[in-house]
Amino acid sequence: MGRAALISPLALLLAGAVSGCESTAPQTVEFKPLYQGVETRFLGDDLVNFQVRMVGARDREDVSRYAECAAAQYTLIRGYGFARHLRTNVDLAGGIWRGDAVYTISPALPRGLKTIDAEVVAADCAENGIPMV
C-alpha cells in the first residue's frame, strides 16, 4: 500500500466530521392560528372589555394582539379614533388560549403610554389576517 491508501481513510473520516457540522438551526413551525371569536362588553362611558379565544397561539403576545385588533375595530365602529390599553389577562387551558382585555376608547389621543391609533392598528391587523369585531 502506498501513501494514497493511508490518506484516503483519513480524508474520509475528516469529510464525515465536517459534514456533521451542517447548520442545525431549529426549523420553524408554521403559525396557523384558529381565531375562535370575540365577545365585547361595554362597561361604561368609554370602558370596553374584550374576551377573545384562539387555538394555535405561539405565546401570550398572540392573544394580546388579537384583543388589540378587536379593540381597534370596535373603536372605529363607535366613531372614535383612539384607544388606551388598561390590562390584558391571558390564560391557556385545554389547548384554548383566552384573553380578557380592557380598553378605554376616545375621539382624541388619550393620555398614557399604551395608546393605539385605531385606524393604524386595524389596517395592520387586516394585513396580517387577524380578525376583528
Side-chain angles (χ1 to χ4, degrees):
M1 281 199 214
R3 185 175 169 133
L6 292 175
I7 295 175
S8 280
L10 180 59
L12 289 173
L13 179 65
L14 290 174
V18 171
S19 70
C21 294
E22 292 177 19
S23 174
T24 57
Q27 294 182 354
T28 57
V29 176
E30 189 174 352
F31 179 50
K32 291 186 177 182
L34 177 60
Y35 298 99
Q36 296 187 323
V38 177
E39 289 181 36
T40 305
R41 296 180 182 142
F42 191 64
L43 302 175
D45 294 330
D46 61 352
L47 198 60
V48 186
N49 174 246
F50 301 93
Q51 302 277 322
V52 297
R53 289 181 321 281
M54 67 184 292
V55 174
R58 294 169 290 201
D59 54 31
R60 294 175 178 275
E61 186 61 34
D62 289 335
V63 182
S64 294
R65 182 72 174 138
Y66 183 26
E68 181 181 54
C69 290
Q73 185 64 35
Y74 181 84
T75 300
L76 295 173
I77 289 169
R78 299 285 297 186
Y80 294 127
F82 300 93
R84 182 169 57 101
H85 177 254
L86 298 178
R87 69 145 173 88
T88 300
N89 295 320
V90 177
D91 183 46
L92 172 62
I96 299 173
W97 289 88
R98 289 180 172 79
D100 175 9
V102 177
Y103 285 81
T104 59
I105 58 174
S106 62
L109 184 63
R111 290 203 268 181
L113 298 175
K114 297 182 180 182
T115 59
I116 63 171
D117 180 322
E119 284 187 27
V120 171
V121 171
D124 183 64
C125 294
E127 185 176 310
N128 287 293
I130 303 172
M132 297 171 273
V133 176

